[in-house]
Amino acid sequence: MSNHQASDILRAIQSINSPKVVITTHHKPDADAMGSSLGLQIFLKNHGIHSTVVTPTDFASFLHWMKGSQEVVIFEENEEVATELAMNADFIFCLDFNDLSRINEFGEAVGKSNAIKILMDHHQFPQGFEQLTYWDDKASSTCELVYRFIVESNNHQYLDKDCAACLYTGIMTDTGSFRHSNCSSNTHRIAADLMDYGIDHVAIHDLVFDSFTEDRVRFIGYALNKKLEILREYKTAIISINREELKQFKIQTGDTEGLVNYGLGIEGIKFAILIIDRTKLVKMSFRSKGDFAANAFARNHFNGGGHFNAAGGSSTASLEETIQQVKDSLKLYLKELNA
Ligand code: 5GP
Ligand code: MN
């Protein structure tokens, strides 16, 4: 698979009169997914190209400040409109995912649509459903790719403060506030350039990380105090949450984000797992340190994937069964985790 030039992708879109452009991103979109989608939408608009953002599901309220977030079409809440948008589109940008299963049932419409699909993504092992590719698994985030797309096509003049704020946010969260190994000096240069558009980085950090509900903070305390299990032998920390607990703490979309990272903060722990009983599936988040491949674990045992050190997966089994499957699977990695 080879990448297409940013300017060629833009030229393809501009070759059509009033092109119908849809931008979509993964289920339960995080800050990188929403920041890249809305950042791209703002850029395209400034360039004279109208687009609609469609998300498979809702997204966290701490992202509702992003420009354009109120106009997002949520497939789950508006299936007909979202499906029609996909079926009638000339182009569909697919951001921050590379496998149609990541956009749930909306994937059917996107897969069936005759639109030219444009992949912009930084996850390993793309499925290859797209016609145009702008992919780099070395990129810190999809927001960084959108920034590169704008700069490489010589369109810096169409990047504005609102766009910069969206892109900065996704870079900030996907790098764990500039601390993970996916953050390079170039990532800092991009963040610096984005700051020069006059964004309020203090406010952005505050909105994303310091605006939790009281329930969310108490839930974190509860999860760490009551639900954290340390398997020293496997250098692994597991937190599991059942439906009752989600209800008890009035957990909303986005409220469990970041919880998995606490396990990795414990000395000697290399692998952290968060297991949550969602309505249809048991969802899992995997985080690792160093050379233990979290995405291989997700892929091999839980129908998942993601990045080397940050991945996810799911199971249709019960919560208890899934916890047991996780523990059984860990046995295969005893040596690797203790290397
Ligand atoms: P999170 O744990 O924050 O939901 O996801 C961590 C990373 O793994 C993200 O890059 C996300 O896109 C990816 N990911 C999460 N769940 C899945 C999944 O079920 N399948 C695949 N292929 N990737 C996932
Ligand atoms: Mn991302």
Side-chain angles (χ1 to χ4, degrees):
M1 184 195 63
S2 62
N3 270 333
H4 292 87
Q5 298 287 327
S7 48
D8 289 343
I9 295 174
L10 273 175
R11 212 169 297 127
I13 298 172
Q14 285 169 317
S15 72
I16 292 182
N17 233 342
S18 311
K20 294 190 198 70
V21 180
V22 166
I23 300 170
T24 192
T25 189
H26 60 77
H27 150 101
K28 294 286 171 190
D30 59 2
D32 187 36
M34 290 314 297
S36 58
S37 298
L38 295 169
L40 177 66
Q41 181 182 47
I42 296 167
F43 159 71
L44 290 175
K45 186 177 174 216
N46 293 344
H47 201 318
I49 301 166
H50 172 79
S51 65
T52 308
V53 175
V54 180
T55 56
T57 67
D58 67 342
F59 47 94
S61 59
F62 59 77
L63 300 174
H64 286 185
W65 58 269
M66 287 182 171
K67 191 177 176 184
S69 64
Q70 307 305 315
E71 284 79 50
V72 169
V73 174
I74 300 171
F75 171 81
E76 227 173 38
E77 297 168 8
N78 222 333
E79 280 192 28
E80 236 170 77
V81 173
T83 304
E84 212 162 288
L85 280 163
M87 296 313 288
N88 293 333
D90 298 306
F91 296 90
I92 303 178
F93 279 94
C94 298
L95 267 55
D96 204 38
F97 71 97
N98 61 30
D99 189 310
L100 288 177
S101 68
R102 293 282 293 143
I103 56 174
N104 303 354
E105 287 84 32
F106 187 49
E108 266 178 50
V110 172
K112 269 196 218 143
S113 167
N114 290 322
I116 292 175
K117 283 126 216 168
I118 306 164
L119 182 85
M120 277 193 181
D121 177 55
H122 69 132
H123 294 90
Q124 294 187 309
F125 310 116
Q127 187 181 32
F129 63 80
E130 78 278 11
Q131 285 74 46
L132 295 171
T133 309
Y134 202 78
W135 177 87
D136 181 4
D137 65 345
K138 301 283 179 304
S140 67
S141 52
T142 303
C143 282
E144 177 174 331
L145 285 174
V146 172
Y147 173 88
R148 283 197 218 159
F149 184 83
I150 295 169
V151 171
E152 280 172 16
S153 60
N154 270 320
N155 281 312
H156 229 133
Q157 73 273 23
Y158 297 127
L159 208 172
D160 63 16
K161 185 177 167 182
D162 291 323
C163 176
C166 289
L167 299 183
Y168 178 91
T169 306
I171 294 173
M172 170 186 90
T173 55
D174 261 29
T175 57
S177 298
F178 306 98
R179 61 196 283 234
H180 298 324
S181 58
N182 61 354
C183 180
S184 64
S185 58
N186 201 42
T187 315
H188 281 285
R189 274 183 211 103
I190 293 170
D193 188 33
L194 293 171
M195 283 179 75
D196 285 341
Y197 284 87
I199 63 172
D200 187 344
H201 71 282
V202 176
I204 290 175
H205 280 257
D206 187 66
L207 283 162
V208 175
F209 297 121
D210 296 326
S211 302
F212 293 8
T213 59
E214 183 181 332
D215 275 322
R216 183 175 174 184
V217 175
R218 294 197 185 281
F219 170 71
I220 294 169
Y222 168 81
L224 297 180
N225 191 15
K226 304 282 187 205
K227 306 304 303 273
L228 175 68
E229 191 179 352
I230 306 287
L231 307 176
R232 278 283 164 203
E233 200 187 350
Y234 297 99
K235 297 192 183 334
T236 294
I238 300 178
I239 296 175
S240 59
I241 304 292
N242 63 37
R243 286 189 210 174
E244 202 40 55
E245 290 157 341
L246 292 177
K247 231 193 265 164
Q248 185 190 340
F249 289 93
K250 303 184 190 73
I251 293 305
Q252 305 292 320
T253 298
D255 280 354
T256 56
E257 240 172 70
L259 184 58
V260 64
N261 294 315
Y262 287 95
L264 269 196
I266 300 165
E267 109 357 89
I269 296 300
K270 261 181 129 169
F271 192 32
I273 306 171
L274 174 65
I275 312 174
I276 303 179
D277 195 356
R278 301 284 183 196
T279 347
K280 286 184 195 149
L281 290 170
V282 174
K283 273 294 296 171
M284 280 158 278
S285 286
F286 303 105
R287 298 291 185 273
S288 67
K289 267 187 187 169
D291 56 7
F292 185 73
N295 60 355
F297 189 89
R299 208 169 44 242
N300 294 342
H301 306 285
F302 296 103
N303 195 28
H307 306 291
F308 191 87
N309 293 124
S314 60
S315 166
T316 50
S318 71
L319 180 65
E320 284 67 33
E321 280 165 345
T322 306
I323 296 169
Q324 196 51 52
Q325 282 165 9
V326 165
K327 289 179 179 172
D328 290 342
S329 306
L330 278 172
K331 290 178 188 156
L332 303 170
Y333 301 86
L334 182 66
K335 252 199 203 147
E336 237 182 282
L337 285 161
N338 283 286

Short mmCIF file of all heavy atoms in Angstrom, two decimals, residues 209-230:
data_model
loop_
_atom_site.label_atom_id
_atom_site.label_comp_id
_atom_site.label_asym_id
_atom_site.label_seq_id
_atom_site.Cartn_x
_atom_site.Cartn_y
_atom_site.Cartn_z
N PHE A 209 -9.17 17.61 30.62
CA PHE A 209 -8.67 16.83 31.76
C PHE A 209 -9.15 17.30 33.13
O PHE A 209 -9.04 16.56 34.11
CB PHE A 209 -7.13 16.81 31.77
CG PHE A 209 -6.53 16.15 30.56
CD1 PHE A 209 -5.66 16.84 29.73
CD2 PHE A 209 -6.83 14.83 30.25
CE1 PHE A 209 -5.10 16.23 28.61
CE2 PHE A 209 -6.27 14.21 29.13
CZ PHE A 209 -5.40 14.91 28.31
N ASP A 210 -9.63 18.52 33.23
CA ASP A 210 -9.98 19.05 34.56
C ASP A 210 -11.42 19.56 34.63
O ASP A 210 -11.70 20.56 35.30
CB ASP A 210 -9.01 20.19 34.94
CG ASP A 210 -7.58 19.68 35.10
OD1 ASP A 210 -7.42 18.52 35.55
OD2 ASP A 210 -6.64 20.41 34.76
N SER A 211 -12.29 18.89 33.92
CA SER A 211 -13.71 19.29 33.98
C SER A 211 -14.57 18.06 34.23
O SER A 211 -15.67 17.92 33.69
CB SER A 211 -14.12 19.97 32.67
OG SER A 211 -13.32 21.08 32.41
N PHE A 212 -14.06 17.14 35.05
CA PHE A 212 -14.78 15.90 35.33
C PHE A 212 -15.99 16.19 36.21
O PHE A 212 -15.97 17.11 37.03
CB PHE A 212 -13.89 14.90 36.07
CG PHE A 212 -12.73 14.37 35.26
CD1 PHE A 212 -12.41 14.87 34.02
CD2 PHE A 212 -11.96 13.33 35.77
CE1 PHE A 212 -11.34 14.37 33.29
CE2 PHE A 212 -10.88 12.80 35.05
CZ PHE A 212 -10.57 13.33 33.81
N THR A 213 -17.02 15.36 36.07
CA THR A 213 -18.13 15.43 37.03
C THR A 213 -17.64 14.82 38.35
O THR A 213 -16.68 14.04 38.37
CB THR A 213 -19.35 14.60 36.55
OG1 THR A 213 -18.92 13.24 36.38
CG2 THR A 213 -19.92 15.13 35.26
N GLU A 214 -18.34 15.17 39.44
CA GLU A 214 -17.98 14.59 40.74
C GLU A 214 -18.10 13.06 40.68
O GLU A 214 -17.25 12.33 41.20
CB GLU A 214 -18.90 15.17 41.82
CG GLU A 214 -18.53 14.68 43.21
CD GLU A 214 -19.45 15.21 44.28
OE1 GLU A 214 -20.02 16.31 44.11
OE2 GLU A 214 -19.61 14.52 45.31
N ASP A 215 -19.17 12.58 40.02
CA ASP A 215 -19.37 11.13 39.89
C ASP A 215 -18.16 10.46 39.24
O ASP A 215 -17.74 9.38 39.67
CB ASP A 215 -20.61 10.84 39.02
CG ASP A 215 -21.89 10.87 39.84
OD1 ASP A 215 -21.85 10.41 40.99
OD2 ASP A 215 -22.91 11.38 39.33
N ARG A 216 -17.62 11.11 38.21
CA ARG A 216 -16.50 10.51 37.48
C ARG A 216 -15.27 10.38 38.39
O ARG A 216 -14.59 9.34 38.38
CB ARG A 216 -16.17 11.34 36.24
CG ARG A 216 -15.07 10.72 35.40
CD ARG A 216 -14.81 11.47 34.11
NE ARG A 216 -13.64 10.90 33.44
CZ ARG A 216 -13.11 11.38 32.32
NH1 ARG A 216 -13.64 12.44 31.74
NH2 ARG A 216 -12.05 10.81 31.79
N VAL A 217 -15.01 11.41 39.17
CA VAL A 217 -13.84 11.37 40.05
C VAL A 217 -14.04 10.30 41.14
O VAL A 217 -13.13 9.52 41.44
CB VAL A 217 -13.57 12.75 40.68
CG1 VAL A 217 -12.43 12.67 41.69
CG2 VAL A 217 -13.22 13.76 39.58
N ARG A 218 -15.27 10.23 41.69
CA ARG A 218 -15.54 9.22 42.72
C ARG A 218 -15.47 7.81 42.13
O ARG A 218 -15.03 6.87 42.78
CB ARG A 218 -16.90 9.46 43.38
CG ARG A 218 -16.92 10.76 44.17
CD ARG A 218 -18.07 10.84 45.15
NE ARG A 218 -18.08 12.15 45.78
CZ ARG A 218 -17.27 12.51 46.77
NH1 ARG A 218 -16.40 11.67 47.26
NH2 ARG A 218 -17.33 13.74 47.27
N PHE A 219 -15.89 7.69 40.87
CA PHE A 219 -15.82 6.40 40.18
C PHE A 219 -14.35 5.96 40.03
O PHE A 219 -14.02 4.79 40.27
CB PHE A 219 -16.49 6.52 38.80
CG PHE A 219 -16.26 5.34 37.92
CD1 PHE A 219 -16.87 4.11 38.18
CD2 PHE A 219 -15.43 5.43 36.81
CE1 PHE A 219 -16.65 3.01 37.37
CE2 PHE A 219 -15.21 4.34 35.99
CZ PHE A 219 -15.81 3.12 36.27
N ILE A 220 -13.47 6.90 39.67
CA ILE A 220 -12.04 6.57 39.53
C ILE A 220 -11.52 6.06 40.88
O ILE A 220 -10.83 5.05 40.97
CB ILE A 220 -11.24 7.79 39.04
CG1 ILE A 220 -11.65 8.17 37.62
CG2 ILE A 220 -9.72 7.52 39.09
CD1 ILE A 220 -11.12 9.52 37.13
N GLY A 221 -11.89 6.79 41.94
CA GLY A 221 -11.46 6.39 43.29
C GLY A 221 -11.95 4.99 43.63
O GLY A 221 -11.19 4.14 44.10
N TYR A 222 -13.21 4.73 43.32
CA TYR A 222 -13.80 3.41 43.59
C TYR A 222 -13.09 2.32 42.80
O TYR A 222 -12.71 1.27 43.33
CB TYR A 222 -15.29 3.46 43.23
CG TYR A 222 -15.96 2.12 43.18
CD1 TYR A 222 -16.39 1.49 44.35
CD2 TYR A 222 -16.17 1.48 41.95
CE1 TYR A 222 -17.01 0.25 44.30
CE2 TYR A 222 -16.79 0.24 41.89
CZ TYR A 222 -17.20 -0.37 43.06
OH TYR A 222 -17.80 -1.60 43.01
N ALA A 223 -12.88 2.58 41.51
CA ALA A 223 -12.25 1.58 40.63
C ALA A 223 -10.85 1.25 41.13
O ALA A 223 -10.45 0.08 41.16
CB ALA A 223 -12.21 2.10 39.19
N LEU A 224 -10.11 2.26 41.55
CA LEU A 224 -8.73 2.03 41.99
C LEU A 224 -8.71 1.35 43.36
O LEU A 224 -7.87 0.49 43.63
CB LEU A 224 -7.96 3.36 42.05
CG LEU A 224 -7.80 4.06 40.69
CD1 LEU A 224 -7.02 5.35 40.85
CD2 LEU A 224 -7.10 3.14 39.69
N ASN A 225 -9.65 1.71 44.20
CA ASN A 225 -9.66 1.16 45.55
C ASN A 225 -10.22 -0.26 45.59
O ASN A 225 -9.69 -1.14 46.26
CB ASN A 225 -10.49 2.09 46.45
CG ASN A 225 -10.34 1.75 47.92
OD1 ASN A 225 -9.44 1.02 48.31
ND2 ASN A 225 -11.25 2.28 48.73
N LYS A 226 -11.32 -0.46 44.84
CA LYS A 226 -12.06 -1.73 44.97
C LYS A 226 -11.88 -2.71 43.80
O LYS A 226 -12.18 -3.89 43.96
CB LYS A 226 -13.56 -1.45 45.12
CG LYS A 226 -13.91 -0.53 46.28
CD LYS A 226 -13.88 -1.25 47.60
CE LYS A 226 -14.40 -0.35 48.71
NZ LYS A 226 -13.88 -0.75 50.02
N LYS A 227 -11.54 -2.21 42.64
CA LYS A 227 -11.61 -3.06 41.45
C LYS A 227 -10.26 -3.36 40.79
O LYS A 227 -10.21 -4.05 39.77
CB LYS A 227 -12.55 -2.42 40.41
CG LYS A 227 -13.92 -2.09 40.89
CD LYS A 227 -14.69 -3.28 41.50
CE LYS A 227 -14.86 -4.47 40.60
NZ LYS A 227 -16.02 -4.41 39.75
N LEU A 228 -9.21 -2.80 41.32
CA LEU A 228 -7.89 -3.00 40.72
C LEU A 228 -7.27 -4.30 41.22
O LEU A 228 -7.14 -4.52 42.42
CB LEU A 228 -6.98 -1.82 41.07
CG LEU A 228 -5.52 -1.89 40.63
CD1 LEU A 228 -5.40 -1.81 39.11
CD2 LEU A 228 -4.73 -0.74 41.27
N GLU A 229 -6.93 -5.15 40.26
CA GLU A 229 -6.32 -6.43 40.61
C GLU A 229 -4.90 -6.46 40.04
O GLU A 229 -4.70 -6.19 38.84
CB GLU A 229 -7.16 -7.56 40.00
CG GLU A 229 -6.79 -8.92 40.52
CD GLU A 229 -7.67 -10.03 39.90
OE1 GLU A 229 -8.65 -9.70 39.20
OE2 GLU A 229 -7.36 -11.19 40.12
N ILE A 230 -3.94 -6.77 40.88
CA ILE A 230 -2.56 -6.80 40.42
C ILE A 230 -2.10 -8.25 40.31
O ILE A 230 -2.17 -8.99 41.29
CB ILE A 230 -1.62 -6.06 41.41
CG1 ILE A 230 -2.11 -4.64 41.67
CG2 ILE A 230 -0.18 -6.06 40.93
CD1 ILE A 230 -1.92 -3.69 40.55
#
